[in-house]
């Protein structure tokens, strides 16, 4: 008699039980381990994070910017935990000492060779269904930024060196070199 093997379903508790320094994300109860970011990845992250923070500060904005590692609990089911490269959160009620409960307004992921499938497909679906308003996939190898504006159901692509407008902030754009 054949016995069907049930796939393990993991929860937030399993993420918290990981050994110190080990990073992983949890999507629909499946654990995805994360490799340490490259120097190129961190330079791009630092540049974008700084540009957004400066814009918010200069315009006395209410939103807060959190670079990774920062916990985002997309759904209340305990089976989804992600660490976006950059999370912009405008609803202060979502922010706790543990991270963000619910969808950030704007999420930016910087593609690494090992994260391509996650960033372009799995996370795209998760962010859209969780209620993220805008999702950027920054791809340093392709020198391209793909912008998904879920509020207007659009997807636009920009090359590095072009101004990439932020949908949640009128008049704000970032030129990634």
């Amino acid at each position: 008699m054949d016995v069907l093997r049930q796939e393990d379903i993991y929860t937030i508790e399993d993420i918290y039980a990981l050994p110190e320094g080990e990073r992983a994300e949890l999507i629909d109860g499946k654990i995805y381990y994360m490799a340490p970011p490259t120097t190129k990845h961190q330079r791009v992250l630092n540049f974008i994070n700084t540009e957004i923070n400066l814009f918010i500060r200069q315009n006395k904005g209410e939103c807060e910017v959190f670079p990774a590692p920062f916990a985002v609990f997309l759904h209340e089911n305990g089976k989804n935990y992600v660490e976006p490269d950059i999370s912009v959160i405008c609803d202060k009620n979502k922010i706790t000492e543990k991270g963000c409960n619910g969808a950030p307004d704007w999420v930016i992921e910087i593609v690494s060779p090992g994260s391509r499938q996650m960033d372009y497909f799995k996370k795209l679906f998760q962010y859209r269904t969780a209620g993220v308003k805008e999702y950027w996939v920054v791809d340093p190898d392709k020198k391209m930024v793909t912008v998904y504006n879920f509020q207007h159901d659009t997807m636009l692509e920009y090359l590095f060196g072009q101004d990439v407008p932020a949908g949640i902030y009128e008049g704000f754009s970032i030129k990634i070199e």
Side-chain angles (χ1 to χ4, degrees), residues 15-177:
I15 292 291
Y16 285 128
L18 290 172
E20 183 71 32
E22 191 160 341
R23 289 180 54 210
E25 293 178 306
L26 182 68
I27 296 180
D28 294 331
K30 185 169 172 110
I31 290 181
Y32 296 88
Y33 293 93
M34 300 165 63
T38 64
T39 301
K40 181 187 339 183
H41 179 280
Q42 290 302 92
R43 282 183 179 133
V44 172
L45 184 147
N46 188 45
F47 174 78
I48 295 170
N49 186 63
T50 300
E51 292 295 301
I52 297 169
N53 268 308
L54 287 172
F55 178 82
I56 291 171
R57 188 175 310 137
Q58 290 166 354
N59 291 278
K60 297 180 179 34
E62 294 295 316
C63 303
E64 286 189 68
V65 185
F66 296 92
F70 180 73
V72 173
F73 307 93
L74 286 176
H75 308 287
E76 292 182 15
N77 62 11
K79 295 178 187 163
N80 288 282
Y81 165 96
V82 291
E83 290 183 5
D85 287 312
I86 299 174
S87 301
V88 180
I89 303 158
C90 301
D91 181 351
K92 304 276 190 212
N93 294 320
K94 290 183 178 182
I95 302 169
T96 70
E97 283 304 307
K98 289 192 171 198
C100 176
N101 290 322
D105 294 85
W106 180 14
V107 170
I108 299 170
E109 293 286 4
I110 300 159
V111 178
S112 299
S115 74
R116 188 167 298 285
Q117 186 77 11
M118 277 291 268
D119 295 337
Y120 279 106
F121 299 103
K122 283 190 188 333
K123 287 186 177 180
L124 170 67
F125 176 77
Q126 289 295 323
Y127 293 146
R128 181 182 195 117
T129 57
V132 169
K133 294 176 184 170
E134 186 167 350
Y135 175 44
W136 287 19
V137 180
V138 179
D139 195 326
D141 290 338
K142 291 183 178 180
K143 295 188 178 348
M144 187 165 55
V145 181
T146 306
V147 175
Y148 298 92
N149 186 320
F150 298 134
Q151 291 180 299
H152 297 104
D153 202 27
T154 60
M155 185 273 287
L156 297 170
E157 293 179 328
Y158 299 87
L159 297 174
F160 278 21
Q162 291 181 304
D163 283 322
V164 183
I168 70 165
Y169 291 119
E170 193 173 321
F172 175 55
S173 64
I174 300 173
K175 186 184 291 189
I176 303 166
E177 299 292 343

